[in-house]
Amino acid sequence: MGTAGKSLNPEGVPPQLDGDAPITVSLYDKWQKIHPLWVSGGWQTGRRVVLAILLLVFYLAPWLRWNGEPGIFFDLEHRRFTILWATFVPEEFILLAWALLIAALTLFAVTVAAGRVFCGWACPQTIWSLVYFSIEHWIEGDRAARLRLDRGHWNLDRIKKKVLKYILWAGLSFSISLTFVGFFEPIRELIPRILRFDLSGWEQLGLVLPAAGSFLLSGVLREQVCFHMCPYARFQSVMFDRDSLIISYDVDRGDPRGSRNRSADPASMGLGSCVDCMKCVNVCPTGIDIRDGLQYQCIGCAACIDACTDVMQMMGYGKSLIRYSSQNKDMGQQRHWLRPRLIGYASLILVMVGAFSYVLDHRIPLGLDVARDRNRLYRQDWDGSVENVYTLRIANRESVAREYSIGFESPLSLEYDGPKTVRIAGGEFTALPIRLLLPGTAAQTAEPADVLFRVESLDSPDVAIEEASRFHLPVGTMKSGGTK
Ligand code: SF4
Ligand code: SF4
């Protein structure tokens, strides 16, 4: 399955027919595990540094606290999300969708500009695959040793190595799922509860599924995920243009390929610089030969660049035959940095980020919704006084408990009947019934009027919110206007 693309030429045509004799081409290619060669070099060092930083962020994030509050926490039970110490309640999930949209657009823009740099450098699947592969390489040895081990008989050495590898993989998988669940449950309380086997069914599932998923997808299947499961691998090619960054082989310098001694003169042999050593193929985590041209299986990891750099330096031929390039550059045409599609994406992202920042900056960590009973706008007492009833839904959008004062303004001399202050836990909301009363004498001559409710934080007076409503009166008592 994994190398099915290799049996077809770039146009998808089966191998050349021998005369008129029919040949059978199987569309099913048995999965053969890819054993990449371990490679070092400038690009791989860079990738490993990025990987270390991203892993550090992942593992530390659930532990980060400021004034006792987590930096990132998705509290499903109370339906509130905390991102960088800002708590969002369900009414604000549109902001989360907005942030995801900006992230998706950024990914599209990065793909147009830099090709599959996300796949090779920051995709979680690539990162975890590299970690699992590093363990495999450490236990079982490099490519030749791993091939020997897998093709050999089951003996004590093979059993020992496989068991040790799977134990370490299982430990890594558990650390991933524990950290993952730590984004949804307080991790400091979760670990002691795991040790006491005191977990709910959902928590057990939350620990087992991500662990099993990462073990299988990043450990066992690795490149198969990129080949067959990742939708981004399939549709990213439509985002490419002829100036997108790609990894490509320098045909002009490299071809014709052929092996030779280090002391041989390639020009006199009619050869290019490629010594056909296959090192670029052997280091490739997806097992492709980049010399065949751009292929969807290439995740842009740059391992082949470092591999060929080694070979070229050893031969004294200069820099790598494989490099970051673009289709235009490969054709000897001028490279354009500013392209309409890129400018379009960048402008859209700028507008969206600007608007998003404005909304966040003007976001009040307090929500107020004033609701009325639509079936009964007012109630008139025997003495002519009129009352209106409201329900104030107040949401504390901070992560800590706050106390609020409740007040109102109106041109009418209304009497207030309801709580003057309320304390609400972080991320929670409360619904308060409020009664406003207009005494009998005033109600005879009054007209319906606006009422402005105001809720103010007693801890930070600059945190306040207002919401307008209406005080209704019986139609017969009004001088004019009014709605019932
Ligand atoms: S590593 Fe370089 S020299 Fe060796 S086969 Fe690949 S392109 Fe040719
Ligand atoms: S062809 Fe090169 S850059 Fe692409 S996946 Fe293989 S090693 Fe990585």
Side-chain angles (χ1 to χ4, degrees):
M1 288 195 301
T3 52
K6 290 200 299 190
S7 59
L8 303 175
N9 68 23
E11 286 75 45
V13 179
Q16 192 184 356
L17 299 177
D18 181 14
D20 292 333
I23 61 163
T24 305
V25 178
S26 172
L27 294 178
Y28 179 76
D29 195 359
K30 195 166 169 256
W31 173 40
Q32 289 171 351
K33 186 174 175 185
I34 295 170
H35 286 288
L37 192 68
W38 186 261
V39 64
S40 302
W43 291 109
Q44 297 319 295
T45 305
R47 275 183 82 219
R48 283 161 200 156
V49 169
V50 173
L51 176 144
I53 293 170
L54 292 175
L55 286 181
L56 212 63
V57 170
F58 173 72
Y59 278 114
L60 288 184
W63 296 90
L64 283 182
R65 285 186 170 260
W66 184 264
N67 289 334
E69 292 302 315
I72 300 177
F73 191 58
F74 302 97
D75 188 347
L76 297 183
E77 189 186 343
H78 300 100
R79 286 172 296 151
R80 60 188 184 209
F81 292 173
T82 302
I83 298 171
L84 297 178
W85 291 276
T87 300
F88 298 91
V89 291
E91 292 93 334
E92 297 178 299
F93 284 1
I94 184 77
L95 292 176
L96 208 62
W98 196 346
L100 290 175
L101 194 59
I102 291 173
L105 280 173
T106 307
L107 181 60
F108 296 163
V110 167
T111 306
V112 174
R116 295 188 67 177
V117 75
F118 170 78
C119 295
W121 292 69
C123 170
Q125 168 65 15
T126 312
I127 291 172
W128 289 121
S129 294
L130 188 53
V131 179
Y132 280 91
F133 171 59
S134 302
I135 293 174
E136 186 174 87
H137 172 261
W138 181 50
I139 302 291
E140 296 183 357
D142 209 353
R143 178 180 150 83
R146 274 181 274 129
L147 282 169
R148 261 199 315 277
L149 196 71
D150 275 12
R151 287 171 187 167
H153 295 295
W154 280 101
N155 54 26
L156 196 59
D157 181 52
R158 187 176 177 187
I159 293 171
K160 252 179 16 196
K161 284 182 172 166
K162 293 287 177 194
V163 168
L164 184 57
K165 179 180 86 172
Y166 289 134
I167 288 175
L168 291 179
W169 277 12
L172 174 65
S173 307
F174 180 71
S175 78
I176 294 171
S177 64
L178 175 65
T179 309
F180 176 75
V181 177
F183 285 98
F184 300 90
E185 293 279 332
I187 198 162
R188 289 155 208 263
E189 296 160 23
L190 183 68
I191 291 175
R193 287 201 289 117
I194 291 173
L195 295 175
R196 294 197 306 270
F197 297 103
D198 175 21
L199 295 172
S200 68
W202 284 114
E203 287 168 336
Q204 290 174 27
L205 209 62
L207 282 172
V208 170
L209 284 184
S214 54
F215 187 99
L216 195 68
L217 299 178
S218 304
V220 179
L221 294 175
R222 284 202 302 245
E223 73 287 341
Q224 300 300 315
V225 174
C226 305
F227 288 169
H228 305 293
M229 297 177 213
C230 176
Y232 178 62
R234 296 296 175 141
F235 74 73
Q236 47 83 32
S237 61
V238 300
M239 289 183 269
F240 272 47
D241 60 29
R242 299 193 64 80
D243 287 301
S244 299
L245 202 66
I246 55 170
I247 287 179
S248 75
Y249 166 71
D250 188 342
V251 183
D252 294 341
R253 263 185 71 211
D255 282 7
R257 310 162 194 172
S259 58
R260 80 291 307 259
N261 288 326
R262 272 178 67 183
S263 53
D265 174 21
S268 64
M269 297 171 76
L271 293 175
S273 296
C274 177
V275 299
D276 214 7
C277 62
M278 298 296 283
K279 195 171 177 188
C280 54
V281 180
N282 291 339
V283 297
C284 180
T286 59
I288 59 168
D289 187 343
I290 195 66
R291 296 173 301 169
D292 294 343
L294 186 60
Q295 294 149 72
Y296 86 90
Q297 294 96 333
C298 174
I299 58 168
C301 68
C304 50
I305 301 181
D306 285 328
C308 194
T309 300
D310 277 354
V311 179
M312 290 297 108
Q313 284 176 355
M314 194 185 72
M315 298 297 293
Y317 289 173
K319 55 187 184 181
S320 178
L321 293 173
I322 305 168
R323 74 278 199 247
Y324 277 107
S325 182
S326 73
Q327 285 171 279
N328 269 345
K329 191 177 166 192
D330 284 353
M331 301 293 291
Q333 292 169 6
Q334 195 195 346
R335 182 144 191 223
H336 306 97
W337 293 99
L338 290 178
R339 287 108 71 190
R341 200 187 309 189
L342 199 53
I343 294 171
Y345 276 130
S347 316
L348 195 57
I349 292 167
L350 270 179
V351 170
M352 289 192 70
V353 168
F356 188 68
S357 311
Y358 179 86
V359 170
L360 275 192
D361 192 44
H362 289 75
R363 173 181 177 265
I364 304 169
L366 173 63
L368 173 63
D369 180 52
V370 180
R372 304 180 47 99
D373 183 354
R374 287 277 162 200
N375 296 321
R376 195 174 187 191
L377 294 181
Y378 57 82
R379 192 166 74 94
Q380 191 163 27
D381 287 340
W382 61 271
D383 61 353
S385 61
V386 176
E387 72 173 37
N388 281 207
V389 177
Y390 308 83
T391 302
L392 267 57
R393 192 175 183 277
I394 305 168
N396 175 4
R397 290 175 182 164
E398 291 182 78
S399 50
V400 289
R402 293 283 185 219
E403 188 150 17
Y404 302 100
S405 67
I406 302 158
F408 77 99
E409 287 172 21
S410 172
L412 301 174
S413 303
L414 300 171
E415 290 173 11
Y416 178 87
D417 180 14
K420 297 265 176 39
T421 62
V422 63
R423 187 172 179 77
I424 308 174
E428 295 290 335
F429 72 87
T430 191
L432 301 174
I434 304 286
R435 206 166 64 98
L436 294 181
L437 185 92
L438 188 64
T441 44
Q444 296 304 311
T445 54
E447 294 179 1
D450 287 338
V451 179
L452 189 67
F453 287 97
R454 181 179 171 84
V455 176
E456 194 175 298
S457 169
L458 294 175
D459 306 294
S460 12
D462 52 324
V463 175
I465 192 166
E466 293 177 338
E467 170 101 2
S469 189
R470 190 100 173 134
F471 189 88
H472 290 275
L473 289 159
V475 176
T477 65
M478 288 184 282
K479 279 181 184 165
S480 63
T483 348
K484 186 172 177 181

